[in-house]
Amino acid sequence: MLDVPEHNRKAWDHLVDKGDQWTRCVDEKTIASARAGNWSIVLTNLKPVPRNWFPQSLVGERILCLASGGGQQGPVLAAAGASVTVFDNSAKQLDQDRHVALRDNLDITTELGDMCDLSRFAANTFDIIVHPVANLFVESVLPLWREAARVLKPGGTLLAGFANPVLFIFDLKQMEEGKLIVRHRVPYADQNDLCEEELQSLILADTAPLCHGHSLHDQIQGQLDAGFMLAGFYEDKAGDGVLREYIDTFIATRSIKIDPAMLSTQ
């Protein structure tokens, strides 16, 4: 049986070796600017996260960068004053964060593991979770939202990026050639919906993580069912490809963990 997390771990390790854009560490100038209060991060492809999605100051904030290795978001937030834990499935992605932490003397802890299993962390541990586009690499997002809610403090913030499932309904090879041919249903999974030849080609390509197109119901209602209240939303374009001419294919949400004490007073 195909072990999707293990395959994706190896694929991302190899993407680090290739220098993929999502594995390249921020430079020293970016860290210096963040220390001076001039910083931004992305959850999606291009648009920076609005600064009002964060507290005015990050000093003293405990932030979990969930499936967010690569030496990018975590180091910037640490330079801005937060105590950061970076959690990722790829050891080499975490090496990037450790490299920046050592280079720039940052407060960063790294943890290797599956984004859907945060059992090593106690309940109500973090003030903020930063989760860039990554849950397309897991088979179900519902455990992820439940775990995020568990480890966040009441009133804590979940900042999440994810793919619009329309991205997965087209034949990928045809789309790469500029043709939009509808082929797949949503929810989608490479290991279930590709033919055997296509799947084996991905498996043999050591820099091709297996992907999943989750329904918007699971992405958004899944957060609400886990105990979050939606407080912010925006869309973003893909970096390239024919589909970007027609629709934004990435989504970012800001959600607040509901505090039962607040509900009891209403």
Side-chain angles (χ1 to χ4, degrees), residues 158-173:
L158 168 65
L159 305 180
F162 48 89
N164 187 320
V166 72
L167 185 64
F168 297 92
I169 69 174
F170 300 101
D171 183 288
L172 179 59
K173 185 175 181 181

Side-chain angles (χ1 to χ4, degrees), residues 120-175:
R120 72 193 68 183
F121 302 119
N124 306 326
T125 295
F126 298 101
D127 301 291
I128 301 169
I129 292 177
V130 171
H131 177 53
V133 175
N135 68 29
L136 73 165
F137 302 122
V138 297
E139 296 180 67
S140 174
V141 296
L142 300 182
L144 186 156
W145 302 137
R146 291 193 293 267
E147 280 290 89
R150 184 184 64 81
V151 302
L152 267 178
K153 297 175 182 177
T157 302
L158 168 65
L159 305 180
F162 48 89
N164 187 320
V166 72
L167 185 64
F168 297 92
I169 69 174
F170 300 101
D171 183 288
L172 179 59
K173 185 175 181 181
Q174 295 284 337
M175 191 160 61

Side-chain angles (χ1 to χ4, degrees), residues 10-119:
K10 292 177 180 177
W12 274 102
D13 283 349
H14 288 127
L15 283 168
V16 174
D17 294 336
K18 273 190 71 175
D20 180 85
Q21 66 169 320
W22 302 114
T23 73
R24 300 173 197 156
C25 302
V26 295
D27 58 20
E28 295 178 21
K29 182 178 179 181
T30 300
I31 295 300
S33 293
R35 283 188 161 127
N38 181 23
W39 59 271
S40 66
I41 64 167
V42 294
L43 292 170
T44 51
N45 188 56
L46 300 171
K47 291 182 181 179
V49 181
R51 279 294 293 269
N52 64 6
W53 281 21
F54 291 94
Q56 187 172 3
S57 171
L58 293 185
V59 175
E61 296 291 306
R62 296 192 65 184
I63 298 182
L64 175 63
C65 289
L66 182 57
S68 180
Q72 299 180 2
Q73 292 90 357
V76 168
L77 296 169
S83 176
V84 173
T85 298
V86 180
F87 191 98
D88 202 273
N89 189 38
S90 163
K92 288 193 175 182
Q93 280 283 73
L94 293 175
D95 284 344
Q96 302 296 80
D97 292 277
R98 286 191 285 268
H99 168 75
V100 183
L102 182 63
R103 183 192 72 195
D104 297 319
N105 191 28
L106 299 172
D107 180 13
I108 297 176
T109 300
T110 59
E111 295 280 352
L112 180 68
D114 183 337
M115 69 182 86
C116 294
D117 179 8
L118 304 180
S119 57

Side-chain angles (χ1 to χ4, degrees), residues 232-249:
F233 181 99
Y234 64 86
E235 294 177 298
D236 196 5
K237 291 188 179 298
D240 52 25
V242 63
L243 198 57
R244 67 168 289 148
E245 301 300 322
Y246 299 94
I247 188 171
D248 291 347
T249 49

